């Protein structure tokens, strides 16, 4: 593909000089002040030809985002990085994950979650995570596309008619171009399938990107094998959570979707933008979306969803940090330095945050990750790893954003309240026992008057005798 998106761009000024030397002034010298009608038809034919070529390049993808275009641009942006041979010829990734799993077993009650281990190239990462990106990006694309059409005056909609579908198709291409550029950047930097905290890859699959791990290792002054095992431990710990906490994967993705569904676009800004957009040039649509005027307006519902997502991401990252620390600190000399590096990498944002801020209007930054790690450490030390990991059994048992502000109070409350009191089965059993005791008491009280009555009947006889 050319540097211009979809092979379409503004006309070359040299072309006009070759067509009669009229340049941009059709009424200039040599034209007699009149626009050549044949020249106008020629330009219209070229425009329609280029538009048809552009639409034919869109592939068969339908919907608010053209994922065929997204994949093409992502692969193009990766260049040679996406087409290496076997990314793990010596099996180092599989060995690192296997070793990490053995180290994790004693420090958590959650069993192994990954049944498959993969070494991905950056292109493999794009291919394997695209289905999840589709689920995350479609809601916001639908909202923005719908707002775009709603912003058109009624007479414009009526006049456009079938062209509205073409505008929708071009909008999908513009979104696809934006997504492709973001994924291309992200694929060149992510280290694992769970690097941004969300389960982007296939279920039960632990995956690392060796090419990116090698680049990441260069500035750490640590052996490559040590960094690989450390990252494998983080990936394996994430997979244990996502595999054995059934509600977690759905809750994370659904919260992102909920945030996206609440997007409200300023239709007044859209009307202003439509005046300066060339409908035959998808690059102008992409520039409009990147101008900042289409940034969604944050609603109270979105703020609540964002708080829930940040809290959940912090709890996931904090738990992984604590468990991996317990598993590798005594075995890897550089474990503490690596933990701090990853903490800063996640807390400061980076490519993941930029990608989501662009695509979904959402920052995936676990702002309270250190507080969450402190909470999990405190609960584990005071109540044991069984109680700590048992909190993942149900979302209602999980710490809240307020609990992250006061981990000590949460740990004390957890220790003071028996776990069985939160068990519905235990509560039902206790209720049945109370009801049975009440029935027995009622039965005794009913029998008591009969005994008393017989005694009173004998009383007069005895008295008369």
């Amino acid at each position: 593909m050319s540097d211009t998106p979809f092979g379409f761009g503004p006309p070359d000024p040299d072309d006009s000089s070759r067509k009669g030397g009229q340049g941009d002034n059709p009424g200039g010298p040599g034209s007699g002040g009149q626009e050549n009608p044949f020249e106008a038809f020629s330009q219209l034919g070229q425009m329609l030809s280029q538009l048809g070529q552009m639409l034919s390049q869109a592939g068969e993808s339908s919907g608010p985002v053209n994922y065929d275009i997204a994949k093409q641009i992502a692969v193009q942006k990766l260049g040679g990085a996406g087409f290496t041979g076997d990314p793990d010829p010596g099996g180092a990734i599989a060995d690192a994950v296997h070793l990490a799993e053995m180290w994790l077993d004693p420090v958590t009650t959650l069993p192994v979650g990954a049944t498959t281990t993969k070494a991905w190239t950056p292109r493999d990462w794009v291919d394997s995570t695209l289905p999840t990106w589709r689920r995350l990006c479609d809601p916001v694309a639908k909202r923005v596309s719908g707002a775009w059409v709603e912003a058109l005056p009624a007479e414009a909609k009526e006049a456009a008619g079938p062209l509205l579908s073409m505008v929708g198709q071009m909008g999908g291409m513009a979104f696809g171009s934006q997504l492709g550029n973001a994924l291309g950047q992200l694929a060149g930097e992510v280290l694992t399938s769970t690097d941004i905290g969300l389960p982007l890859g296939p279920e039960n699959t632990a995956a690392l990107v060796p090419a990116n791990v090698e680049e990441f290792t260069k500035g750490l002054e640590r052996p490559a094998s040590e960094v690989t095992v450390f990252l494998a431990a983080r990936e394996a710990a994430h997979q244990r959570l996502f595999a054995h906490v059934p509600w977690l994967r759905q809750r994370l993705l659904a919260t992102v979707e909920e945030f996206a569904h609440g997007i409200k676009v300023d239709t007044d800004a859209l009307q202003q933008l439509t005046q300066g957009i060339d409908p035959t040039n998808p690059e102008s649509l992409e520039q409009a979306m990147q101008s900042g005027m289409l940034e969604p307006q944050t609603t109270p519902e979105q703020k609540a969803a964002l708080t829930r997502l940040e809290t959940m991401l912090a709890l996931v990252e904090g738990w992984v940090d604590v468990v991996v620390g317990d598993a590798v600190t005594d075995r890897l000399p550089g474990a503490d330095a690596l933990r701090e590096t990853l903490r800063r990498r996640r807390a400061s944002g980076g490519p993941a945050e930029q990608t989501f801020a662009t695509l979904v209007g959402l920052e995936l930054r676990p702002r309270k990750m250190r507080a969450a790690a402190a909470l999990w450490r405190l609960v584990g030390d005071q109540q044991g790893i069984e109680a700590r990991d048992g909190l993942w059994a149900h979302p209602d048992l999980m710490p809240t954003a307020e609990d992250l502000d006061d981990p000590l109070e949460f740990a004390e409350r957890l220790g003071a309240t028996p776990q069985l009191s939160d068990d519905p089965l235990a509560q039902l059993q206790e209720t049945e026992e109370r009801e049975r005791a009440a029935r027995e008491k009622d039965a005794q009280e009913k029998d008591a008057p009969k005994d008393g009555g017989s005694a009173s009947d004998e009383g007069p006889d005895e008295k008369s005798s």
Side-chain angles (χ1 to χ4, degrees):
M1 298 177 64
S2 63
D3 293 336
T4 306
F6 319 114
F8 189 89
D12 188 346
D14 294 337
D15 290 343
S16 58
S17 63
R18 290 192 294 267
K19 297 174 182 177
Q22 296 178 8
D24 295 332
N25 183 11
S31 66
Q34 299 291 331
E35 182 178 357
N36 188 340
F38 296 102
E39 182 71 16
F41 280 117
S42 176
Q43 291 178 356
L44 178 60
Q46 291 178 9
M47 182 188 71
L48 294 177
S49 176
Q50 290 178 337
L51 181 60
Q53 181 182 6
M54 176 189 68
L55 295 177
S56 67
Q57 292 176 354
E60 299 179 355
S61 178
S62 61
V65 181
N66 190 312
Y67 292 97
D68 291 338
I69 290 292
K71 185 174 180 179
Q72 292 174 19
I73 292 179
V75 171
Q76 179 190 22
K77 192 175 183 69
L78 287 171
F83 296 95
T84 58
D86 185 354
D88 187 31
I93 299 300
D95 292 342
V97 173
H98 179 68
L99 180 61
E101 296 285 19
M102 291 193 299
W103 290 354
L104 287 170
D105 281 338
V107 298
T108 176
T109 60
L110 298 181
V112 174
T115 57
T116 304
T117 301
K118 295 289 186 180
W120 284 345
T121 64
R123 176 169 181 174
D124 292 333
W125 182 88
V126 172
D127 292 338
S128 301
T129 62
L130 201 55
T132 304
W133 287 109
R134 181 189 297 268
R135 177 176 176 180
L136 296 176
C137 295
D138 273 355
V140 63
K142 288 179 180 178
R143 293 290 299 167
V144 174
S145 298
W148 186 282
V149 175
E150 292 173 5
L152 294 175
E155 57 274 13
K157 294 180 184 178
E158 184 178 355
L163 291 179
L164 286 179
S165 62
M166 182 181 296
V167 173
Q169 187 176 2
M170 294 175 64
M173 294 170 64
F175 273 110
S177 174
Q178 194 175 6
L179 175 61
N181 280 291
L183 293 185
Q185 177 188 357
L186 198 56
E189 300 184 26
V190 292
L191 306 174
T192 67
S193 73
T194 56
D195 201 18
I196 68 172
L198 293 178
L200 295 177
E203 295 185 12
N204 306 112
T205 299
L208 276 72
V209 187
N212 296 345
V213 173
E214 180 180 357
E215 189 66 24
F216 173 73
T217 305
K218 290 181 179 179
L220 298 179
E221 299 181 355
R222 301 303 310 170
S225 58
E226 182 177 315
V227 176
T228 300
V229 172
F230 179 81
L231 294 174
R234 285 184 54 84
E235 175 73 357
H238 277 100
Q239 294 300 330
R240 291 186 182 221
L241 270 183
F242 294 137
H244 298 292
V245 181
W247 56 268
L248 180 58
R249 177 186 293 266
Q250 176 63 25
R251 179 64 64 90
L252 284 171
L253 299 180
T255 304
V256 176
E257 291 176 318
E258 180 182 353
F259 181 92
H261 279 299
I263 287 177
K264 296 186 182 299
V265 179
D266 187 353
T267 55
D268 293 336
L270 280 175
Q271 291 177 354
Q272 296 178 12
L273 283 176
T274 54
Q275 299 176 0
I277 288 180
D278 179 3
T280 64
N281 186 357
E283 187 176 11
S284 65
L285 290 176
E286 183 177 356
Q287 292 173 352
M289 287 190 295
Q290 295 176 345
S291 66
M293 296 184 70
L294 294 182
E295 290 183 359
Q297 304 170 356
T298 303
T299 63
E301 294 78 12
Q302 284 183 294
K303 291 181 179 179
L306 178 59
T307 299
R308 290 194 298 271
L309 181 63
E310 287 182 343
T311 301
M312 192 57 60
L313 286 174
L315 291 171
V316 170
E317 293 299 308
W319 184 89
V320 168
D321 180 71
V322 169
V323 170
V324 171
D326 291 344
V328 306
T329 297
D330 295 336
R331 296 180 172 95
L332 299 179
D336 288 337
L338 290 172
R339 288 177 67 191
E340 184 61 26
T341 298
L342 267 295
R343 285 173 183 165
R344 293 180 178 179
R345 189 173 186 263
R346 287 293 287 121
S348 63
E353 179 184 342
Q354 295 170 5
T355 298
F356 263 79
T358 300
L359 299 177
V360 189
L362 180 65
E363 294 182 357
L364 284 181
R365 185 185 300 182
R367 303 177 189 275
K368 297 185 177 182
M369 182 179 67
R370 293 181 185 271
L375 183 146
W376 290 124
R377 171 66 64 195
L378 195 60
V379 171
D381 290 345
Q382 293 187 1
Q383 310 298 328
I385 63 174
E386 293 82 4
R388 180 198 67 193
D389 295 350
L391 293 174
W392 291 101
H394 194 277
D396 291 345
L397 301 178
M398 295 296 291
T400 63
E402 291 74 17
D403 293 328
L404 294 183
D405 295 331
D406 193 355
L408 182 60
E409 194 276 336
F410 175 80
E412 292 176 349
R413 186 172 74 248
L414 185 66
T417 304
Q419 289 295 313
L420 288 179
S421 65
D422 295 325
D423 186 354
L425 294 179
Q427 294 179 359
L428 178 61
Q429 183 178 0
E430 182 180 354
T431 301
E432 291 177 345
E433 290 177 354
R434 287 199 304 266
E435 292 176 350
R436 182 168 54 253
R439 287 195 299 270
E440 292 176 354
K441 183 178 180 181
D442 290 342
Q444 293 175 356
E445 291 177 352
K446 290 179 180 179
D447 293 339
K450 295 180 180 180
D451 295 339
S454 60
S456 62
D457 289 342
E458 293 177 355
D461 294 338
E462 293 177 354
K463 184 176 180 180
S464 60
S465 61

